[in-house]
mmCIF file of all heavy atoms in Angstrom:
data_model
loop_
_atom_site.group_PDB
_atom_site.id
_atom_site.type_symbol
_atom_site.label_atom_id
_atom_site.label_comp_id
_atom_site.label_asym_id
_atom_site.label_seq_id
_atom_site.Cartn_x
_atom_site.Cartn_y
_atom_site.Cartn_z
ATOM 1 N N ILE A 1 14.905 -2.938 -4.944
ATOM 2 C CA ILE A 1 14.045 -2.113 -4.176
ATOM 3 C C ILE A 1 13.040 -1.424 -4.946
ATOM 4 O O ILE A 1 11.822 -1.437 -4.490
ATOM 5 C CB ILE A 1 14.981 -1.103 -3.375
ATOM 6 C CG1 ILE A 1 15.684 -1.875 -2.310
ATOM 7 C CG2 ILE A 1 14.190 0.017 -2.733
ATOM 8 C CD1 ILE A 1 16.875 -1.079 -1.608
ATOM 9 N N PRO A 2 13.364 -0.852 -6.145
ATOM 10 C CA PRO A 2 12.230 -0.166 -6.874
ATOM 11 C C PRO A 2 11.123 -1.051 -7.267
ATOM 12 O O PRO A 2 9.919 -0.696 -7.270
ATOM 13 C CB PRO A 2 13.045 0.428 -8.083
ATOM 14 C CG PRO A 2 14.447 0.607 -7.729
ATOM 15 C CD PRO A 2 14.693 -0.604 -6.750
ATOM 16 N N LEU A 3 11.383 -2.278 -7.665
ATOM 17 C CA LEU A 3 10.426 -3.256 -8.014
ATOM 18 C C LEU A 3 9.452 -3.594 -6.879
ATOM 19 O O LEU A 3 8.248 -3.566 -7.013
ATOM 20 C CB LEU A 3 11.021 -4.596 -8.597
ATOM 21 C CG LEU A 3 9.979 -5.665 -8.876
ATOM 22 C CD1 LEU A 3 9.102 -5.269 -10.015
ATOM 23 C CD2 LEU A 3 10.754 -6.966 -9.343
ATOM 24 N N VAL A 4 10.057 -3.831 -5.734
ATOM 25 C CA VAL A 4 9.360 -4.126 -4.607
ATOM 26 C C VAL A 4 8.418 -2.919 -4.139
ATOM 27 O O VAL A 4 7.160 -3.021 -3.896
ATOM 28 C CB VAL A 4 10.287 -4.528 -3.270
ATOM 29 C CG1 VAL A 4 9.389 -4.526 -2.111
ATOM 30 C CG2 VAL A 4 10.807 -5.874 -3.669
ATOM 31 N N ALA A 5 8.997 -1.746 -4.107
ATOM 32 C CA ALA A 5 8.232 -0.612 -3.752
ATOM 33 C C ALA A 5 7.194 -0.263 -4.777
ATOM 34 O O ALA A 5 6.081 0.065 -4.302
ATOM 35 C CB ALA A 5 9.184 0.656 -3.642
ATOM 36 N N LEU A 6 7.461 -0.275 -5.943
ATOM 37 C CA LEU A 6 6.385 -0.042 -6.974
ATOM 38 C C LEU A 6 5.264 -1.025 -6.990
ATOM 39 O O LEU A 6 4.077 -0.704 -7.086
ATOM 40 C CB LEU A 6 6.983 -0.013 -8.397
ATOM 41 C CG LEU A 6 7.783 1.365 -8.700
ATOM 42 C CD1 LEU A 6 8.517 1.128 -10.000
ATOM 43 C CD2 LEU A 6 6.914 2.576 -8.666
ATOM 44 N N THR A 7 5.560 -2.227 -6.733
ATOM 45 C CA THR A 7 4.510 -3.254 -6.691
ATOM 46 C C THR A 7 3.618 -3.085 -5.493
ATOM 47 O O THR A 7 2.447 -3.082 -5.725
ATOM 48 C CB THR A 7 5.221 -4.654 -6.528
ATOM 49 O OG1 THR A 7 6.073 -4.935 -7.654
ATOM 50 C CG2 THR A 7 4.107 -5.767 -6.489
ATOM 51 N N GLY A 8 4.199 -2.798 -4.351
ATOM 52 C CA GLY A 8 3.319 -2.470 -3.086
ATOM 53 C C GLY A 8 2.510 -1.131 -3.411
ATOM 54 O O GLY A 8 1.325 -1.095 -3.081
ATOM 55 N N ASP A 9 3.080 -0.192 -4.006
ATOM 56 C CA ASP A 9 2.423 1.088 -4.229
ATOM 57 C C ASP A 9 1.210 0.898 -5.213
ATOM 58 O O ASP A 9 0.123 1.379 -5.013
ATOM 59 C CB ASP A 9 3.442 2.127 -4.861
ATOM 60 C CG ASP A 9 2.782 3.525 -5.015
ATOM 61 O OD1 ASP A 9 2.791 4.223 -4.070
ATOM 62 O OD2 ASP A 9 2.383 3.751 -6.172
ATOM 63 N N GLN A 10 1.492 0.146 -6.275
ATOM 64 C CA GLN A 10 0.489 -0.072 -7.349
ATOM 65 C C GLN A 10 -0.607 -1.021 -6.819
ATOM 66 O O GLN A 10 -1.766 -0.765 -7.132
ATOM 67 C CB GLN A 10 1.150 -0.721 -8.640
ATOM 68 C CG GLN A 10 2.008 0.282 -9.310
ATOM 69 C CD GLN A 10 2.791 -0.364 -10.479
ATOM 70 O OE1 GLN A 10 2.889 -1.512 -10.543
ATOM 71 N NE2 GLN A 10 3.386 0.472 -11.344
ATOM 72 N N LEU A 11 -0.181 -1.970 -5.959
ATOM 73 C CA LEU A 11 -1.216 -2.769 -5.332
ATOM 74 C C LEU A 11 -2.227 -1.908 -4.614
ATOM 75 O O LEU A 11 -3.450 -2.096 -4.662
ATOM 76 C CB LEU A 11 -0.636 -3.825 -4.372
ATOM 77 C CG LEU A 11 -1.564 -4.687 -3.670
ATOM 78 C CD1 LEU A 11 -2.409 -5.630 -4.545
ATOM 79 C CD2 LEU A 11 -0.729 -5.618 -2.633
ATOM 80 N N VAL A 12 -1.830 -0.910 -3.892
ATOM 81 C CA VAL A 12 -2.725 -0.105 -3.010
ATOM 82 C C VAL A 12 -3.395 0.931 -3.989
ATOM 83 O O VAL A 12 -4.676 1.099 -3.881
ATOM 84 C CB VAL A 12 -1.940 0.607 -1.919
ATOM 85 C CG1 VAL A 12 -2.842 1.602 -1.228
ATOM 86 C CG2 VAL A 12 -1.611 -0.361 -0.878
ATOM 87 N N ARG A 13 -2.619 1.671 -4.783
ATOM 88 C CA ARG A 13 -3.254 2.772 -5.473
ATOM 89 C C ARG A 13 -4.063 2.267 -6.656
ATOM 90 O O ARG A 13 -5.149 2.812 -6.950
ATOM 91 C CB ARG A 13 -2.089 3.596 -6.077
ATOM 92 C CG ARG A 13 -1.508 4.374 -4.965
ATOM 93 C CD ARG A 13 -0.412 5.394 -5.652
ATOM 94 N NE ARG A 13 0.491 5.900 -4.500
ATOM 95 C CZ ARG A 13 0.174 7.018 -3.778
ATOM 96 N NH1 ARG A 13 -0.922 7.677 -4.004
ATOM 97 N NH2 ARG A 13 1.006 7.377 -2.901
ATOM 98 N N LEU A 14 -3.552 1.280 -7.362
ATOM 99 C CA LEU A 14 -4.294 0.810 -8.642
ATOM 100 C C LEU A 14 -5.335 -0.311 -8.274
ATOM 101 O O LEU A 14 -6.467 -0.367 -8.863
ATOM 102 C CB LEU A 14 -3.466 0.437 -9.651
ATOM 103 C CG LEU A 14 -2.360 1.485 -10.114
ATOM 104 C CD1 LEU A 14 -1.413 0.987 -11.191
ATOM 105 C CD2 LEU A 14 -3.110 2.806 -10.633
ATOM 106 N N ALA A 15 -4.918 -1.290 -7.714
ATOM 107 C CA ALA A 15 -5.751 -2.557 -7.422
ATOM 108 C C ALA A 15 -6.802 -2.254 -6.386
ATOM 109 O O ALA A 15 -7.971 -2.843 -6.608
ATOM 110 C CB ALA A 15 -4.907 -3.666 -7.075
ATOM 111 N N THR A 16 -6.626 -1.528 -5.372
ATOM 112 C CA THR A 16 -7.554 -1.325 -4.316
ATOM 113 C C THR A 16 -8.225 -0.007 -4.434
ATOM 114 O O THR A 16 -9.353 0.112 -4.014
ATOM 115 C CB THR A 16 -6.983 -1.438 -2.841
ATOM 116 O OG1 THR A 16 -6.206 -0.363 -2.622
ATOM 117 C CG2 THR A 16 -6.222 -2.762 -2.715
ATOM 118 N N SER A 17 -7.537 0.905 -4.973
ATOM 119 C CA SER A 17 -8.139 2.341 -5.112
ATOM 120 C C SER A 17 -8.516 2.836 -3.728
ATOM 121 O O SER A 17 -9.532 3.570 -3.703
ATOM 122 C CB SER A 17 -9.262 2.474 -6.161
ATOM 123 O OG SER A 17 -8.892 2.018 -7.335
ATOM 124 N N VAL A 18 -7.887 2.455 -2.709
ATOM 125 C CA VAL A 18 -8.236 2.927 -1.380
ATOM 126 C C VAL A 18 -8.009 4.348 -1.185
ATOM 127 O O VAL A 18 -7.117 4.907 -1.762
ATOM 128 C CB VAL A 18 -7.518 2.083 -0.272
ATOM 129 C CG1 VAL A 18 -6.075 2.486 -0.257
ATOM 130 C CG2 VAL A 18 -8.152 2.287 1.136
ATOM 131 N N GLN A 19 -8.888 5.023 -0.482
ATOM 132 C CA GLN A 19 -8.968 6.375 -0.249
ATOM 133 C C GLN A 19 -8.695 6.882 1.221
ATOM 134 O O GLN A 19 -8.854 5.957 2.133
ATOM 135 C CB GLN A 19 -10.201 7.037 -0.707
ATOM 136 C CG GLN A 19 -10.645 6.873 -2.166
ATOM 137 C CD GLN A 19 -9.648 7.480 -3.050
ATOM 138 O OE1 GLN A 19 -9.358 8.612 -2.931
ATOM 139 N NE2 GLN A 19 -9.108 6.682 -4.076
ATOM 140 N N LYS A 20 -8.295 8.026 1.503
ATOM 141 C CA LYS A 20 -8.159 8.497 2.829
ATOM 142 C C LYS A 20 -9.375 8.212 3.690
ATOM 143 O O LYS A 20 -10.549 8.377 3.300
ATOM 144 C CB LYS A 20 -8.038 10.007 2.756
ATOM 145 C CG LYS A 20 -7.709 10.620 4.172
ATOM 146 C CD LYS A 20 -7.434 12.038 4.096
ATOM 147 C CE LYS A 20 -7.153 12.759 5.468
ATOM 148 N NZ LYS A 20 -6.829 14.132 5.370
ATOM 149 N N GLY A 21 -9.212 7.671 4.890
ATOM 150 C CA GLY A 21 -10.218 7.363 5.807
ATOM 151 C C GLY A 21 -10.762 5.841 5.675
ATOM 152 O O GLY A 21 -11.521 5.476 6.533
ATOM 153 N N GLN A 22 -10.492 5.207 4.567
ATOM 154 C CA GLN A 22 -11.049 4.046 4.326
ATOM 155 C C GLN A 22 -10.219 2.926 5.000
ATOM 156 O O GLN A 22 -9.030 3.205 5.323
ATOM 157 C CB GLN A 22 -11.192 3.562 2.777
ATOM 158 C CG GLN A 22 -12.236 4.389 2.103
ATOM 159 C CD GLN A 22 -12.300 4.024 0.643
ATOM 160 O OE1 GLN A 22 -11.259 3.743 -0.066
ATOM 161 N NE2 GLN A 22 -13.537 3.826 0.133
ATOM 162 N N ALA A 23 -10.749 1.794 5.304
ATOM 163 C CA ALA A 23 -10.077 0.706 5.984
ATOM 164 C C ALA A 23 -9.622 -0.357 4.857
ATOM 165 O O ALA A 23 -10.403 -0.790 4.033
ATOM 166 C CB ALA A 23 -10.872 -0.042 7.015
ATOM 167 N N VAL A 24 -8.404 -0.617 4.940
ATOM 168 C CA VAL A 24 -7.787 -1.663 4.070
ATOM 169 C C VAL A 24 -6.967 -2.681 4.769
ATOM 170 O O VAL A 24 -6.187 -2.396 5.735
ATOM 171 C CB VAL A 24 -6.853 -0.944 3.020
ATOM 172 C CG1 VAL A 24 -5.544 -0.251 3.645
ATOM 173 C CG2 VAL A 24 -6.284 -1.916 1.966
ATOM 174 N N LEU A 25 -7.202 -3.978 4.541
ATOM 175 C CA LEU A 25 -6.494 -5.100 4.981
ATOM 176 C C LEU A 25 -5.336 -5.479 3.961
ATOM 177 O O LEU A 25 -5.617 -5.627 2.938
ATOM 178 C CB LEU A 25 -7.377 -6.339 5.254
ATOM 179 C CG LEU A 25 -6.680 -7.635 5.572
ATOM 180 C CD1 LEU A 25 -6.080 -7.600 6.849
ATOM 181 C CD2 LEU A 25 -7.769 -8.841 5.447
ATOM 182 N N ILE A 26 -4.173 -5.482 4.598
ATOM 183 C CA ILE A 26 -2.992 -5.816 3.755
ATOM 184 C C ILE A 26 -2.428 -7.132 4.209
ATOM 185 O O ILE A 26 -1.867 -7.103 5.354
ATOM 186 C CB ILE A 26 -1.991 -4.709 3.736
ATOM 187 C CG1 ILE A 26 -2.478 -3.431 3.140
ATOM 188 C CG2 ILE A 26 -0.680 -5.203 2.991
ATOM 189 C CD1 ILE A 26 -1.690 -2.257 3.193
ATOM 190 N N THR A 27 -2.712 -8.254 3.575
ATOM 191 C CA THR A 27 -2.102 -9.600 3.873
ATOM 192 C C THR A 27 -0.594 -9.606 3.629
ATOM 193 O O THR A 27 -0.199 -8.844 2.678
ATOM 194 C CB THR A 27 -2.835 -10.620 3.271
ATOM 195 O OG1 THR A 27 -2.628 -10.657 1.878
ATOM 196 C CG2 THR A 27 -4.406 -10.674 3.542
ATOM 197 N N GLY A 28 0.149 -10.332 4.506
ATOM 198 C CA GLY A 28 1.498 -10.404 4.233
ATOM 199 C C GLY A 28 2.206 -9.130 4.617
ATOM 200 O O GLY A 28 3.192 -8.697 3.874
ATOM 201 N N ALA A 29 1.701 -8.315 5.499
ATOM 202 C CA ALA A 29 2.152 -6.997 5.712
ATOM 203 C C ALA A 29 3.656 -6.891 6.149
ATOM 204 O O ALA A 29 4.207 -5.782 6.146
ATOM 205 C CB ALA A 29 1.255 -6.313 6.813
ATOM 206 N N LEU A 30 4.135 -8.077 6.703
ATOM 207 C CA LEU A 30 5.566 -8.039 7.096
ATOM 208 C C LEU A 30 6.569 -8.413 5.851
ATOM 209 O O LEU A 30 7.667 -8.296 6.120
ATOM 210 C CB LEU A 30 5.747 -8.906 8.255
ATOM 211 C CG LEU A 30 5.167 -8.435 9.496
ATOM 212 C CD1 LEU A 30 5.218 -9.517 10.661
ATOM 213 C CD2 LEU A 30 5.689 -7.099 10.067
ATOM 214 N N GLY A 31 6.091 -8.763 4.779
ATOM 215 C CA GLY A 31 6.864 -9.044 3.731
ATOM 216 C C GLY A 31 7.337 -7.762 2.956
ATOM 217 O O GLY A 31 6.825 -6.711 3.225
ATOM 218 N N SER A 32 8.239 -7.949 1.992
ATOM 219 C CA SER A 32 8.713 -6.771 1.242
ATOM 220 C C SER A 32 7.599 -5.938 0.559
ATOM 221 O O SER A 32 7.516 -4.750 0.882
ATOM 222 C CB SER A 32 9.762 -7.140 0.301
ATOM 223 O OG SER A 32 10.853 -7.851 0.970
ATOM 224 N N VAL A 33 6.861 -6.572 -0.326
ATOM 225 C CA VAL A 33 5.756 -5.911 -0.977
ATOM 226 C C VAL A 33 4.628 -5.398 0.098
ATOM 227 O O VAL A 33 4.167 -4.342 -0.097
ATOM 228 C CB VAL A 33 5.166 -6.830 -2.048
ATOM 229 C CG1 VAL A 33 3.921 -6.200 -2.602
ATOM 230 C CG2 VAL A 33 6.222 -7.171 -3.154
ATOM 231 N N GLY A 34 4.378 -6.353 1.097
ATOM 232 C CA GLY A 34 3.433 -5.914 2.098
ATOM 233 C C GLY A 34 3.778 -4.665 2.865
ATOM 234 O O GLY A 34 2.970 -3.750 3.003
ATOM 235 N N ARG A 35 5.145 -4.574 3.223
ATOM 236 C CA ARG A 35 5.510 -3.364 3.862
ATOM 237 C C ARG A 35 5.418 -2.104 3.014
ATOM 238 O O ARG A 35 5.015 -1.096 3.532
ATOM 239 C CB ARG A 35 7.069 -3.553 4.372
ATOM 240 C CG ARG A 35 7.194 -4.481 5.630
ATOM 241 C CD ARG A 35 8.604 -4.624 6.049
ATOM 242 N NE ARG A 35 8.765 -5.587 6.935
ATOM 243 C CZ ARG A 35 8.864 -5.257 8.227
ATOM 244 N NH1 ARG A 35 8.900 -4.033 8.708
ATOM 245 N NH2 ARG A 35 9.059 -6.269 9.138
ATOM 246 N N ALA A 36 5.686 -2.313 1.693
ATOM 247 C CA ALA A 36 5.496 -1.133 0.817
ATOM 248 C C ALA A 36 4.143 -0.771 0.663
ATOM 249 O O ALA A 36 3.889 0.456 0.603
ATOM 250 C CB ALA A 36 6.219 -1.559 -0.528
ATOM 251 N N ALA A 37 3.256 -1.748 0.646
ATOM 252 C CA ALA A 37 1.821 -1.398 0.549
ATOM 253 C C ALA A 37 1.312 -0.786 1.832
ATOM 254 O O ALA A 37 0.504 0.188 1.688
ATOM 255 C CB ALA A 37 0.983 -2.775 0.277
ATOM 256 N N VAL A 38 1.781 -1.203 2.907
ATOM 257 C CA VAL A 38 1.407 -0.587 4.219
ATOM 258 C C VAL A 38 1.873 0.926 4.225
ATOM 259 O O VAL A 38 1.111 1.814 4.594
ATOM 260 C CB VAL A 38 2.077 -1.285 5.456
ATOM 261 C CG1 VAL A 38 1.964 -0.396 6.662
ATOM 262 C CG2 VAL A 38 1.375 -2.582 5.696
ATOM 263 N N HIS A 39 3.051 1.023 3.808
ATOM 264 C CA HIS A 39 3.600 2.475 3.747
ATOM 265 C C HIS A 39 2.685 3.446 2.757
ATOM 266 O O HIS A 39 2.328 4.518 3.128
ATOM 267 C CB HIS A 39 5.031 2.489 3.310
ATOM 268 C CG HIS A 39 5.703 3.857 2.975
ATOM 269 N ND1 HIS A 39 6.058 4.708 4.161
ATOM 270 C CD2 HIS A 39 5.861 4.551 1.966
ATOM 271 C CE1 HIS A 39 6.486 5.799 3.680
ATOM 272 N NE2 HIS A 39 6.428 5.837 2.418
ATOM 273 N N THR A 40 2.411 2.803 1.721
ATOM 274 C CA THR A 40 1.651 3.687 0.622
ATOM 275 C C THR A 40 0.209 4.009 1.277
ATOM 276 O O THR A 40 -0.356 5.062 1.182
ATOM 277 C CB THR A 40 1.456 2.917 -0.701
ATOM 278 O OG1 THR A 40 2.776 2.733 -1.120
ATOM 279 C CG2 THR A 40 0.539 3.684 -1.574
ATOM 280 N N ALA A 41 -0.403 2.885 1.722
ATOM 281 C CA ALA A 41 -1.797 3.001 2.228
ATOM 282 C C ALA A 41 -1.793 4.135 3.475
ATOM 283 O O ALA A 41 -2.689 4.899 3.508
ATOM 284 C CB ALA A 41 -2.359 1.798 2.729
ATOM 285 N N LYS A 42 -0.744 4.064 4.363
ATOM 286 C CA LYS A 42 -0.725 4.883 5.500
ATOM 287 C C LYS A 42 -0.432 6.374 4.914
ATOM 288 O O LYS A 42 -1.044 7.325 5.422
ATOM 289 C CB LYS A 42 0.424 4.622 6.382
ATOM 290 C CG LYS A 42 0.011 3.416 7.197
ATOM 291 C CD LYS A 42 1.229 2.922 8.120
ATOM 292 C CE LYS A 42 1.738 3.911 9.079
ATOM 293 N NZ LYS A 42 2.850 3.412 9.871
ATOM 294 N N LYS A 43 0.309 6.476 3.845
ATOM 295 C CA LYS A 43 0.629 7.815 3.234
ATOM 296 C C LYS A 43 -0.644 8.393 2.601
ATOM 297 O O LYS A 43 -0.832 9.601 2.724
ATOM 298 C CB LYS A 43 1.627 7.734 2.180
ATOM 299 C CG LYS A 43 2.126 8.928 1.637
ATOM 300 C CD LYS A 43 3.261 8.742 0.704
ATOM 301 C CE LYS A 43 3.735 10.066 -0.033
ATOM 302 N NZ LYS A 43 4.953 9.804 -0.821
ATOM 303 N N ILE A 44 -1.531 7.557 2.158
ATOM 304 C CA ILE A 44 -2.872 7.920 1.616
ATOM 305 C C ILE A 44 -3.710 8.425 2.693
ATOM 306 O O ILE A 44 -4.691 9.297 2.416
ATOM 307 C CB ILE A 44 -3.450 6.854 0.693
ATOM 308 C CG1 ILE A 44 -2.694 6.680 -0.587
ATOM 309 C CG2 ILE A 44 -4.926 7.058 0.477
ATOM 310 C CD1 ILE A 44 -3.141 5.404 -1.317
ATOM 311 N N GLY A 45 -3.546 8.002 3.883
ATOM 312 C CA GLY A 45 -4.431 8.232 5.007
ATOM 313 C C GLY A 45 -5.451 7.166 5.310
ATOM 314 O O GLY A 45 -6.410 7.480 5.986
ATOM 315 N N ALA A 46 -5.241 5.966 4.779
ATOM 316 C CA ALA A 46 -6.211 4.814 5.007
ATOM 317 C C ALA A 46 -5.873 4.206 6.416
ATOM 318 O O ALA A 46 -4.805 4.390 6.982
ATOM 319 C CB ALA A 46 -5.906 3.644 3.899
ATOM 320 N N GLN A 47 -6.887 3.586 6.889
ATOM 321 C CA GLN A 47 -6.809 2.805 8.178
ATOM 322 C C GLN A 47 -6.242 1.392 7.846
ATOM 323 O O GLN A 47 -7.035 0.697 7.148
ATOM 324 C CB GLN A 47 -8.155 2.743 8.889
ATOM 325 C CG GLN A 47 -8.587 4.086 9.344
ATOM 326 C CD GLN A 47 -9.888 3.988 9.974
ATOM 327 O OE1 GLN A 47 -10.704 2.985 9.766
ATOM 328 N NE2 GLN A 47 -10.264 5.046 10.756
#
């Protein structure tokens, strides 16, 4: 679980640097890493 969660989190925070209000497309959103990325991006306030 920590590996999956950290991978999704780092993908959004470090690789995309998406900010609140910006739109981000997350491919594979129903996979483990994808769901973690969706959660992180929503927490940031991204669309």
Side-chain angles (χ1 to χ4, degrees):
I1 292 171
L3 176 63
V4 169
L6 284 172
T7 301
D9 184 84
Q10 290 172 345
L11 178 63
V12 170
R13 291 183 192 277
L14 302 178
T16 71
S17 301
V18 69
Q19 302 294 314
K20 181 178 182 176
Q22 290 183 319
V24 59
L25 170 65
I26 300 177
T27 64
L30 290 173
S32 299
V33 172
R35 285 177 187 262
V38 166
H39 176 76
T40 297
K42 287 174 57 176
K43 187 174 181 180
I44 289 170
Q47 295 177 341

